[in-house]
Every structure is written in C-alpha cells, then in structure tokens.
Amino acid sequence: MANELEQKLKLVRDVNRITGQEIIQQLFHQVLELHGDRINHDDPALFSGIALFENQPVTILSVDRGTSLTERIEKNGGAVRASGYRKALRSVELAEKFNRPVISFLNMPGADASLESENEGQSLMIAKMIAKMGQLKVPNLAVFIGEGHSGGALAFANSNRIVMFENGLFSVASPEAMSAILRKETVSEVVPMTAGKLQKMGLVDQIIKEDQDVISQVNTAIKTWLDDFNNLSSNELIKQRTEKFAHVLAYWDKMD
Amino acid sequence: MSEMPEQALWSSCKYCGRHVHTEQWGLFLRCPFCGFPKRLTVEQRIEMTFDPDSFQKIDLNIKSKDQLHFKKYADKLTKAQQKTKHDEAITIGTAKIGNHLVAAGIMDNQFMVGTLNTTVGEGIRQIMEAALEQRLPLVLFVTSGGARMQEGIFSLLQMNTILAVQERLLDAGILNINILTDPTMGGASASFAFNSDYVLAEDHAQIGFSGKRVIEQTSGEQLPDEFQSAEYLLEHGQLDDVIQREKLKDVLQQLLDLHTAGDQNG
C-alpha cells in the first residue's frame, strides 16, 4: 500500500511526466497567454490564458512543476504564490464576464510557503479563489495530471467536474507534509488520496488511463464536460457544485 | 489532601515561560510579565465577550468519528473531549453584545488545536445558516491549527463547503465579523477566516497560511521574530485592526452599533 503510493509519487513527479502545457499545445488552438496579477508580479508557476477548444473560447489555467532544473526553479516546483492566485482570480473573473468555461490542469505540491507569499496575503488569495470557483457562473473543470494538495490545489479543484489521471493524487496535504505535521513516518496509507478511492467517494468523476491514448481521452473528457454543462444556467452550475461536494461529505458516514 | 485546591493556582505563560498565579493573570488572563494574552477556554471567551447569561448554545448536528481508522485518533478525540468538556473544537449559539443579538461561533484551540474536521466544518456551516435564516450578524472567534490530518480529504473539503455558505451569507447582506485568535493557520486562514466583512485579530495572535517551521524548511529563509503576529499582519495591511481583549467587547459593540445606526427598523 505504502509502496503503491511511493510509486505514484515517483511517476507524477518525474521530469518526463506529461504537462498541462503539452496538452494545451495538442488540444487547443489560438492560445494566448495572459500575464501578471496587475499589482506587482507575474508568477511563472501559474499559466493563465485564453484559447479555442474546437470553436469555443475557453480560459485555461495550468500549474506544473517544470520540465528542466531551470524551469523547476522558476516555477517554484509548481507551488503557486499569492500573486499566482491573484493572477488566476483575475483570469476567472474575465472568463465569467465573457462567458468562457474554465479548465485547470494540475500537477503541483500545494501552495507556496514563503515569507513573500505570506506578506502578500496567501491565505486570503487562496480563500478568494476557492470561493470564486465555487460561485463561478460559467462551467469549470479540473484535470489532475499529477498530484495536487491542500487549499492550494482546492482553489482550482472546486469545480463542476474533476478528472484525474490514474496515478494522480489529491489530499489534505502532501504525504511528506502530512508526516511532518503529525511527526510520524508513514501515515498516508489510510488516508484516501488516489484516483480510485476519490472516485468511489464521488469526488473524482472520471479517471484517465495512462496509456498511449492519454491525449484523446482528455479531449473526450473536455468535450463531454462542455456538452454536459454548456447549457446550464449560472444558478444550476452553482447548485451542481454545492450538491457534488455535499454528496462527497456525506460519504464520510458511509465509510468503513 | 482535603485542602488541595481543585484547580492549580499556578500556570506557566506559554510565551515567556514564567509561572503566573491565578490572581496575577487577572480578569483578562494577560501575563503580568510579558504582556501576552493567555489562550482562553470557550467559557472564558463567552464570559469576556457577551452580555452576562445571554449565550444560548445550539447543539451541533453531528459527532466526530474515526472513520479512517487513523492511528490514535479515537484516543485523541476522547482525551480532548475529557479535557475541554466539549464534543468538538467549536461551540455555537446566539448571544447578546450590548443588546445586539448575534449568531456566535467560538472555536477552541484546546481541542486538538481547533483543527478543522467534518464536525467543526458542519458546526461553522450550521451557525452561518442560522445567521442567514434569522438574519443575525455573525461573530466568529477563529482559532485553528489548520485542517485536521486525521480526516484527510474530508477535512480539506470543509474549506470550500464553508466558503459556499459564507458567500451566500455575505451576498444576503448579513454582517460577518471574524476575530482571529491564537493560532489561526492553514485551512482556516485560507478559507472563512479572512473572507468575512471585517477581520479583527487579538493582540499577539499567530496568524498565517504555512507554519514558520515549514517556511524555514522549504524556502530556507530567515524569518523576522514578529513574523505572522497579528501586529505584523496589521503592518502588512491584512487586518482591519488588532484589538486587545480588554477592549474587544466595546469594539464589537461599536461595530454593531455602526451597522444599525440610522436603521429605521432597528
């Protein structure tokens, strides 16, 4: 069990892991990146942009750890800073105004832990992003390509639909952070965080098999999501999210 | 043995380590040596904040369980319940502050450091729903070490589900005042704590997203001594004000007064 988790962590953290950027290049066109938080920073850990999916304009957010050492340093290993959440928030507000569905691609440890992010209101920015994603009047979709933990990942995952690669992970904290907080070695095995377990509780809606066909599976997942949610009113979208997460919380009582 | 007092007369200050006699702590439980306020029990907070005998407790909808069979969690829950005489790290109800009826939530840092789990999350949603339904201002005393690891992803999902109710509350024009007390971290600070209309903090409270130890380890940065103190956050523009607990009741009353002044139906 612990080995299974270690294996998954190794896979999702590998430099050759497929990134959001690669998927964006293959499935979207007319991609236009939008930089900056409009205050003082442009966090490289968070990509934000507009693109066409087939003929529909969509907003894309993407976090990955970087594919080379230089990129990994620049992208802070995928730990989004307070300014990154401010950039993301700005981007989804525009998406809402211009009626563009929002897709997030994630492979990140969690939110950035640093003096600068704390000084710039990391807590508030994450809270605002989680709240906004929940109340968003356009459809949203989160695709966990790798892992994503804590409030830092929830800021994107608070969506109508969650799709996860079969080795993906989503938890309250990364396994390392969890052990550090509880001052114990292996605590993670009883905590549900794998795609299969999260699907069972209704949090993950669909699992992407990691075979040759990954891109076309993601393509179909996006299409299906748009078909299912494009025609819902803003009230219906908000209600669907509320019900989805209430349903997951209700699973707590059914566990054993 | 019969003359042994029920409660210890001496307790040490968490900040300066000095031993302080019950009488020296005074009415507001402030250390006479270093000036730091002592962490309060829920009962002390209620007594200090609300009009005498005005607090009416609302029972929590659910009880905590060890559903993941997490090592030692069941024991920890029992011990915390015995220590605090509360079922969980939150107490909710209605109360009066200078004759303003408010919905109130008091988190409890003596119960597993006020960590956010299924029951605490439900309690917070419950008091928010009550404030909405009865159109009462919501006064929330926040204290939390963050999400409770022992309930995994279920603890994490309290953040977005509380925020969904809080957004409805704020949209409905209900006043929400949060008072951040020592400590307010992680899953609490990155969700409902900072999302209220007004964010006040008690002096010297530790407030932040990541713990100091984590920041030092991951970034290797030297952190200033006053980092993540309420006073430091005020300097960085993240709080409406830092209030000493001696003045807190008056400030809350003033804020409530200012929101009802000129109100024809008030």
Side-chain angles (χ1 to χ4, degrees):
Chain A
M1 192 61 207
N3 281 338
E4 186 201 351
L5 192 63
E6 270 168 37
Q7 209 169 9
K8 283 177 186 294
L9 285 169
K10 217 174 147 188
L11 279 169
V12 300
R13 291 172 184 180
D14 194 279
V15 278
N16 294 316
R17 181 81 174 170
I18 189 168
T19 63
Q21 290 306 321
E22 288 169 63
I23 293 175
I24 292 165
Q25 274 165 28
Q26 296 202 48
L27 293 184
F28 300 83
H29 45 121
Q30 299 274 344
V31 181
L32 186 68
E33 183 173 3
L34 300 171
H35 292 274
D37 69 348
R38 285 286 195 281
I39 295 178
N40 197 27
H41 295 288
D42 181 21
D43 183 3
L46 188 274
F47 167 91
S48 102
I50 319 171
L52 290 179
F53 180 79
E54 295 181 338
N55 286 318
Q56 183 166 5
V58 293
T59 285
I60 308 172
L61 303 172
S62 180
V63 188
D64 65 71
R65 337 170 82 92
T67 49
S68 63
L69 186 62
T70 334
E71 213 184 47
R72 286 206 162 186
I73 291 167
E74 190 185 61
K75 291 190 171 183
N76 200 19
V80 178
R81 302 164 177 95
S83 59
Y85 289 104
R86 207 150 40 227
K87 175 159 83 168
L89 188 60
R90 193 171 77 74
S91 195
V92 296
E93 279 168 355
L94 281 175
E96 189 171 73
K97 175 173 176 180
F98 295 108
N99 203 25
R100 286 192 295 263
V102 176
I103 308 170
S104 308
F105 295 107
L106 307 172
N107 188 3
M108 60 189 291
D112 175 48
S114 71
L115 177 78
E116 189 184 35
S117 280
E118 294 285 327
N119 285 353
E120 295 199 349
Q122 184 70 303
S123 295
L124 178 66
M125 290 325 299
I126 293 171
K128 289 285 178 204
M129 185 65 186
I130 299 173
K132 184 67 195 177
M133 287 294 262
Q135 303 298 307
L136 205 65
K137 292 174 180 162
V138 290
N140 46 8
L141 166 73
V143 181
F144 280 81
I145 294 173
E147 62 183 327
H149 305 291
S150 92
L154 183 62
F156 304 99
N158 195 18
S159 294
N160 292 114
R161 183 162 289 172
I162 301 177
V163 171
M164 189 177 271
F165 279 45
E166 63 176 306
N167 288 307
L169 301 162
F170 178 26
S171 187
V172 61
S174 70
E176 294 85 353
M178 220 166 159
S179 303
I181 291 166
L182 295 166
R183 295 167 203 273
K184 286 195 190 90
E185 339 64 60
T186 50
V187 285
S188 307
E189 54 226 61
V190 297
V191 177
M193 59 173 84
T194 55
K197 283 190 180 169
L198 299 180
Q199 187 181 41
K200 211 173 149 199
M201 65 174 72
L203 183 59
V204 164
D205 299 285
Q206 190 189 338
I207 297 175
I208 304 284
K209 280 213 170 70
E210 294 183 22
D211 54 23
Q212 299 298 316
D213 226 14
V214 162
I215 294 286
S216 79
Q217 288 179 72
V218 175
N219 187 47
T220 312
I222 296 173
K223 259 190 210 174
T224 316
W225 159 69
L226 286 172
D227 285 346
D228 292 346
F229 291 96
N230 255 339
N231 295 320
L232 296 194
S233 70
S234 52
N235 282 340
E236 286 168 330
L237 289 169
I238 295 165
K239 190 163 165 257
Q240 190 271 351
R241 282 181 212 114
T242 309
E243 284 170 357
K244 174 182 168 65
F245 288 101
H247 179 78
V248 179
L249 290 190
Y251 189 80
W252 175 249
D253 276 328
K254 297 175 199 137
M255 293 194 76
D256 247 330
Chain B
M1 286 303 283
S2 58
E3 62 263 48
M4 280 289 281
E6 261 188 39
Q7 272 189 314
L9 289 175
W10 295 85
S11 55
S12 62
C13 172
K14 177 180 165 286
Y15 304 94
C16 71
R18 301 274 297 262
H19 290 277
V20 183
H21 191 269
T22 310
E23 281 178 25
Q24 286 178 299
W25 279 114
L27 211 53
F28 291 96
L29 296 149
R30 191 177 286 282
C31 174
F33 303 107
C34 70
F36 272 64
K38 195 180 190 188
R39 288 183 180 180
L40 301 181
T41 63
V42 172
E43 286 68 29
Q44 287 166 335
R45 180 65 72 188
I46 288 172
E47 197 189 327
M48 221 175 266
T49 313
F50 304 116
D51 295 356
D53 303 321
S54 71
F55 186 78
Q56 302 280 328
K57 192 178 167 191
I58 298 173
D59 288 332
L60 297 176
N61 281 337
I62 56 172
K63 281 198 159 58
S64 291
K65 293 180 285 191
D66 174 27
Q67 291 292 78
L68 299 181
H69 307 296
F70 201 104
K71 217 172 163 184
K72 293 182 191 155
Y73 182 38
D75 278 355
K76 280 188 179 171
L77 278 175
T78 311
K79 276 184 192 146
Q81 283 160 349
Q82 285 166 351
K83 178 177 149 197
T84 63
K85 312 263 192 301
H86 289 284
D87 287 342
E88 251 304 341
I90 186 150
T91 299
I92 57 173
T94 57
K96 284 186 169 176
I97 300 175
N99 284 324
H100 293 280
L101 186 63
V102 300
I106 303 107
M107 295 180 79
D108 185 357
N109 55 43
Q110 321 213 349
F111 195 112
M112 295 189 75
V113 206
T115 41
L116 187 60
N117 74 334
T118 303
T119 307
V120 175
E122 175 65 16
I124 295 170
R125 288 189 295 273
Q126 219 182 315
I127 195 61
M128 285 178 172
E129 294 282 7
L132 246 171
E133 206 172 292
Q134 300 174 51
R135 297 201 67 82
L136 293 176
L138 173 65
V139 175
L140 200 56
F141 283 91
V142 184
T143 175
S144 178
R148 191 176 298 172
M149 295 297 132
Q150 290 89 341
E151 296 188 16
I153 190 93
F154 293 96
S155 294
L156 184 73
L157 297 177
Q158 303 308 318
M159 295 172 71
N160 60 330
T161 49
I162 292 169
L163 278 165
V165 183
Q166 193 180 29
E167 288 292 296
R168 278 199 284 127
L169 179 84
L170 298 172
D171 277 355
I174 308 280
L175 169 63
N176 178 193
I177 305 167
N178 283 356
I179 303 100
L180 313 189
T181 65
D182 189 53
T184 297
M185 303 296 292
S189 77
S191 63
F192 57 94
F194 275 101
N195 195 44
S196 53
D197 295 308
Y198 301 96
V199 186
L200 305 174
E202 199 166 71
D203 65 283
H204 297 91
Q206 188 199 349
I207 303 160
F209 176 65
S210 310
K212 275 187 177 186
R213 192 165 51 98
V214 174
I215 298 173
E216 277 167 347
Q217 276 170 12
T218 56
S219 70
E221 289 171 307
Q222 272 294 110
L223 302 173
D225 285 345
E226 69 282 12
F227 183 65
Q228 291 186 334
S229 69
E231 292 74 13
Y232 180 88
L233 265 76
L234 183 69
E235 264 180 53
H236 283 82
Q238 294 179 27
L239 296 168
D240 286 300
D241 211 349
V242 173
I243 312 286
Q244 300 213 321
R245 61 171 57 145
E246 288 82 349
K247 296 179 192 146
L248 188 57
K249 189 181 179 187
D250 289 343
V251 171
L252 287 175
Q253 189 176 337
Q254 186 187 0
L255 201 45
L256 290 161
D257 283 345
L258 286 166
H259 284 78
T260 43
D263 190 344
Q264 296 296 313
N265 305 316

mmCIF file of all heavy atoms in Angstrom, chain B residues 13-15 25 28-31 34-40 182 202-205 245-246:
data_model
loop_
_atom_site.group_PDB
_atom_site.id
_atom_site.type_symbol
_atom_site.label_atom_id
_atom_site.label_comp_id
_atom_site.label_asym_id
_atom_site.label_seq_id
_atom_site.Cartn_x
_atom_site.Cartn_y
_atom_site.Cartn_z
ATOM 1 N N CYS B 13 3.182 30.752 31.649
ATOM 2 C CA CYS B 13 2.858 31.525 30.438
ATOM 3 C C CYS B 13 3.500 30.811 29.251
ATOM 4 O O CYS B 13 4.682 30.474 29.266
ATOM 5 C CB CYS B 13 3.404 32.941 30.563
ATOM 6 S SG CYS B 13 3.266 33.881 29.032
ATOM 7 N N LYS B 14 2.688 30.600 28.197
ATOM 8 C CA LYS B 14 3.151 29.868 27.023
ATOM 9 C C LYS B 14 4.272 30.626 26.300
ATOM 10 O O LYS B 14 5.073 30.040 25.593
ATOM 11 C CB LYS B 14 1.944 29.679 26.103
ATOM 12 C CG LYS B 14 2.208 29.004 24.781
ATOM 13 C CD LYS B 14 0.905 28.907 24.008
ATOM 14 C CE LYS B 14 1.125 28.593 22.549
ATOM 15 N NZ LYS B 14 1.637 29.688 21.742
ATOM 16 N N TYR B 15 4.325 31.921 26.496
ATOM 17 C CA TYR B 15 5.249 32.744 25.711
ATOM 18 C C TYR B 15 6.560 33.007 26.445
ATOM 19 O O TYR B 15 7.631 32.847 25.888
ATOM 20 C CB TYR B 15 4.562 34.048 25.298
ATOM 21 C CG TYR B 15 3.292 33.755 24.560
ATOM 22 C CD1 TYR B 15 2.063 33.712 25.228
ATOM 23 C CD2 TYR B 15 3.314 33.424 23.210
ATOM 24 C CE1 TYR B 15 0.894 33.380 24.551
ATOM 25 C CE2 TYR B 15 2.160 33.088 22.533
ATOM 26 C CZ TYR B 15 0.956 33.067 23.207
ATOM 27 O OH TYR B 15 -0.176 32.719 22.553
ATOM 28 N N TRP B 25 -2.925 36.611 36.818
ATOM 29 C CA TRP B 25 -3.415 36.602 35.432
ATOM 30 C C TRP B 25 -4.474 37.687 35.231
ATOM 31 O O TRP B 25 -4.586 38.259 34.141
ATOM 32 C CB TRP B 25 -4.036 35.246 35.072
ATOM 33 C CG TRP B 25 -3.046 34.172 34.688
ATOM 34 C CD1 TRP B 25 -2.780 33.033 35.368
ATOM 35 C CD2 TRP B 25 -2.226 34.135 33.518
ATOM 36 N NE1 TRP B 25 -1.841 32.280 34.721
ATOM 37 C CE2 TRP B 25 -1.474 32.930 33.575
ATOM 38 C CE3 TRP B 25 -2.023 34.998 32.430
ATOM 39 C CZ2 TRP B 25 -0.561 32.571 32.580
ATOM 40 C CZ3 TRP B 25 -1.113 34.638 31.447
ATOM 41 C CH2 TRP B 25 -0.393 33.447 31.533
ATOM 42 N N PHE B 28 -8.578 39.400 32.518
ATOM 43 C CA PHE B 28 -8.448 39.172 31.078
ATOM 44 C C PHE B 28 -7.324 38.204 30.728
ATOM 45 O O PHE B 28 -6.943 38.068 29.571
ATOM 46 C CB PHE B 28 -8.260 40.504 30.346
ATOM 47 C CG PHE B 28 -9.503 41.338 30.382
ATOM 48 C CD1 PHE B 28 -9.670 42.336 31.337
ATOM 49 C CD2 PHE B 28 -10.530 41.103 29.477
ATOM 50 C CE1 PHE B 28 -10.822 43.093 31.380
ATOM 51 C CE2 PHE B 28 -11.692 41.858 29.513
ATOM 52 C CZ PHE B 28 -11.846 42.860 30.477
ATOM 53 N N LEU B 29 -6.812 37.535 31.727
ATOM 54 C CA LEU B 29 -5.798 36.496 31.545
ATOM 55 C C LEU B 29 -4.627 36.945 30.671
ATOM 56 O O LEU B 29 -4.348 36.383 29.619
ATOM 57 C CB LEU B 29 -6.451 35.238 30.974
ATOM 58 C CG LEU B 29 -7.468 34.655 31.961
ATOM 59 C CD1 LEU B 29 -8.593 33.965 31.254
ATOM 60 C CD2 LEU B 29 -6.790 33.737 32.946
ATOM 61 N N ARG B 30 -3.988 37.997 31.155
ATOM 62 C CA ARG B 30 -2.816 38.515 30.448
ATOM 63 C C ARG B 30 -1.603 38.335 31.350
ATOM 64 O O ARG B 30 -1.659 38.624 32.537
ATOM 65 C CB ARG B 30 -3.039 39.999 30.116
ATOM 66 C CG ARG B 30 -2.010 40.578 29.163
ATOM 67 C CD ARG B 30 -2.331 42.024 28.808
ATOM 68 N NE ARG B 30 -3.455 42.165 27.887
ATOM 69 C CZ ARG B 30 -3.390 41.948 26.570
ATOM 70 N NH1 ARG B 30 -2.258 41.553 26.025
ATOM 71 N NH2 ARG B 30 -4.439 42.104 25.811
ATOM 72 N N CYS B 31 -0.528 37.871 30.791
ATOM 73 C CA CYS B 31 0.669 37.606 31.600
ATOM 74 C C CYS B 31 1.237 38.917 32.157
ATOM 75 O O CYS B 31 1.516 39.841 31.390
ATOM 76 C CB CYS B 31 1.731 36.889 30.756
ATOM 77 S SG CYS B 31 3.291 36.672 31.632
ATOM 78 N N CYS B 34 5.162 39.306 30.567
ATOM 79 C CA CYS B 34 5.476 39.601 29.158
ATOM 80 C C CYS B 34 4.313 40.273 28.435
ATOM 81 O O CYS B 34 4.463 40.737 27.296
ATOM 82 C CB CYS B 34 5.902 38.337 28.418
ATOM 83 S SG CYS B 34 4.581 37.151 28.142
ATOM 84 N N GLY B 35 3.144 40.315 29.044
ATOM 85 C CA GLY B 35 2.020 41.027 28.431
ATOM 86 C C GLY B 35 1.255 40.224 27.393
ATOM 87 O O GLY B 35 0.301 40.726 26.782
ATOM 88 N N PHE B 36 1.674 38.967 27.167
ATOM 89 C CA PHE B 36 0.943 38.151 26.186
ATOM 90 C C PHE B 36 -0.370 37.661 26.781
ATOM 91 O O PHE B 36 -0.419 37.289 27.958
ATOM 92 C CB PHE B 36 1.795 36.937 25.777
ATOM 93 C CG PHE B 36 2.728 37.207 24.626
ATOM 94 C CD1 PHE B 36 3.756 38.132 24.755
ATOM 95 C CD2 PHE B 36 2.571 36.532 23.418
ATOM 96 C CE1 PHE B 36 4.621 38.375 23.697
ATOM 97 C CE2 PHE B 36 3.437 36.781 22.356
ATOM 98 C CZ PHE B 36 4.460 37.693 22.493
ATOM 99 N N PRO B 37 -1.439 37.645 25.957
ATOM 100 C CA PRO B 37 -2.701 37.106 26.441
ATOM 101 C C PRO B 37 -2.655 35.577 26.444
ATOM 102 O O PRO B 37 -2.061 34.970 25.557
ATOM 103 C CB PRO B 37 -3.729 37.620 25.432
ATOM 104 C CG PRO B 37 -2.961 37.894 24.183
ATOM 105 C CD PRO B 37 -1.542 38.169 24.570
ATOM 106 N N LYS B 38 -3.268 34.989 27.455
ATOM 107 C CA LYS B 38 -3.316 33.533 27.566
ATOM 108 C C LYS B 38 -4.408 33.011 26.636
ATOM 109 O O LYS B 38 -5.420 33.675 26.424
ATOM 110 C CB LYS B 38 -3.667 33.177 29.017
ATOM 111 C CG LYS B 38 -3.416 31.747 29.395
ATOM 112 C CD LYS B 38 -3.804 31.521 30.875
ATOM 113 C CE LYS B 38 -3.315 30.150 31.309
ATOM 114 N NZ LYS B 38 -3.803 29.797 32.631
ATOM 115 N N ARG B 39 -4.183 31.811 26.074
ATOM 116 C CA ARG B 39 -5.249 31.204 25.274
ATOM 117 C C ARG B 39 -6.446 30.913 26.184
ATOM 118 O O ARG B 39 -6.270 30.453 27.307
ATOM 119 C CB ARG B 39 -4.762 29.916 24.628
ATOM 120 C CG ARG B 39 -3.786 30.169 23.500
ATOM 121 C CD ARG B 39 -3.383 28.876 22.840
ATOM 122 N NE ARG B 39 -2.451 29.116 21.744
ATOM 123 C CZ ARG B 39 -1.934 28.142 21.001
ATOM 124 N NH1 ARG B 39 -2.240 26.883 21.250
ATOM 125 N NH2 ARG B 39 -1.110 28.435 20.010
ATOM 126 N N LEU B 40 -7.640 31.176 25.689
ATOM 127 C CA LEU B 40 -8.841 31.072 26.521
ATOM 128 C C LEU B 40 -9.607 29.782 26.275
ATOM 129 O O LEU B 40 -9.558 29.210 25.190
ATOM 130 C CB LEU B 40 -9.790 32.248 26.220
ATOM 131 C CG LEU B 40 -9.255 33.654 26.445
ATOM 132 C CD1 LEU B 40 -10.353 34.666 26.108
ATOM 133 C CD2 LEU B 40 -8.788 33.844 27.879
ATOM 134 N N ASP B 182 -5.263 33.297 18.655
ATOM 135 C CA ASP B 182 -4.056 32.469 18.589
ATOM 136 C C ASP B 182 -4.364 30.981 18.638
ATOM 137 O O ASP B 182 -4.988 30.537 19.592
ATOM 138 C CB ASP B 182 -3.152 32.846 19.772
ATOM 139 C CG ASP B 182 -1.782 32.200 19.683
ATOM 140 O OD1 ASP B 182 -1.140 32.352 18.622
ATOM 141 O OD2 ASP B 182 -1.369 31.557 20.657
ATOM 142 N N GLU B 202 -6.850 39.358 17.730
ATOM 143 C CA GLU B 202 -6.446 39.632 19.094
ATOM 144 C C GLU B 202 -4.939 39.860 19.107
ATOM 145 O O GLU B 202 -4.210 39.228 18.339
ATOM 146 C CB GLU B 202 -6.819 38.430 19.967
ATOM 147 C CG GLU B 202 -6.876 38.774 21.430
ATOM 148 C CD GLU B 202 -7.574 37.691 22.219
ATOM 149 O OE1 GLU B 202 -6.998 36.609 22.378
ATOM 150 O OE2 GLU B 202 -8.695 37.933 22.689
ATOM 151 N N ASP B 203 -4.465 40.740 19.978
ATOM 152 C CA ASP B 203 -3.036 41.061 20.001
ATOM 153 C C ASP B 203 -2.183 39.809 20.230
ATOM 154 O O ASP B 203 -2.578 38.898 20.942
ATOM 155 C CB ASP B 203 -2.728 42.136 21.058
ATOM 156 C CG ASP B 203 -3.003 41.663 22.475
ATOM 157 O OD1 ASP B 203 -4.180 41.630 22.858
ATOM 158 O OD2 ASP B 203 -2.039 41.313 23.174
ATOM 159 N N HIS B 204 -1.034 39.793 19.596
ATOM 160 C CA HIS B 204 -0.039 38.717 19.699
ATOM 161 C C HIS B 204 -0.454 37.378 19.088
ATOM 162 O O HIS B 204 0.297 36.414 19.180
ATOM 163 C CB HIS B 204 0.382 38.487 21.161
ATOM 164 C CG HIS B 204 1.065 39.669 21.772
ATOM 165 N ND1 HIS B 204 0.374 40.650 22.441
ATOM 166 C CD2 HIS B 204 2.355 40.040 21.791
ATOM 167 C CE1 HIS B 204 1.228 41.576 22.860
ATOM 168 N NE2 HIS B 204 2.429 41.228 22.472
ATOM 169 N N ALA B 205 -1.648 37.308 18.486
ATOM 170 C CA ALA B 205 -2.075 36.034 17.892
ATOM 171 C C ALA B 205 -1.161 35.672 16.731
ATOM 172 O O ALA B 205 -0.713 36.544 15.984
ATOM 173 C CB ALA B 205 -3.517 36.148 17.411
ATOM 174 N N ARG B 245 -7.881 42.242 24.068
ATOM 175 C CA ARG B 245 -9.129 41.625 24.525
ATOM 176 C C ARG B 245 -9.860 42.455 25.589
ATOM 177 O O ARG B 245 -11.074 42.367 25.726
ATOM 178 C CB ARG B 245 -8.881 40.199 25.018
ATOM 179 C CG ARG B 245 -7.944 40.076 26.173
ATOM 180 C CD ARG B 245 -7.928 38.659 26.719
ATOM 181 N NE ARG B 245 -7.569 37.651 25.735
ATOM 182 C CZ ARG B 245 -6.864 36.549 26.015
ATOM 183 N NH1 ARG B 245 -6.449 36.326 27.253
ATOM 184 N NH2 ARG B 245 -6.588 35.671 25.095
ATOM 185 N N GLU B 246 -9.110 43.308 26.304
ATOM 186 C CA GLU B 246 -9.744 44.196 27.286
ATOM 187 C C GLU B 246 -10.762 45.135 26.622
ATOM 188 O O GLU B 246 -11.710 45.580 27.250
ATOM 189 C CB GLU B 246 -8.674 45.041 28.004
ATOM 190 C CG GLU B 246 -7.801 44.254 28.984
ATOM 191 C CD GLU B 246 -6.646 43.502 28.324
ATOM 192 O OE1 GLU B 246 -6.612 43.410 27.078
ATOM 193 O OE2 GLU B 246 -5.773 42.991 29.063
#
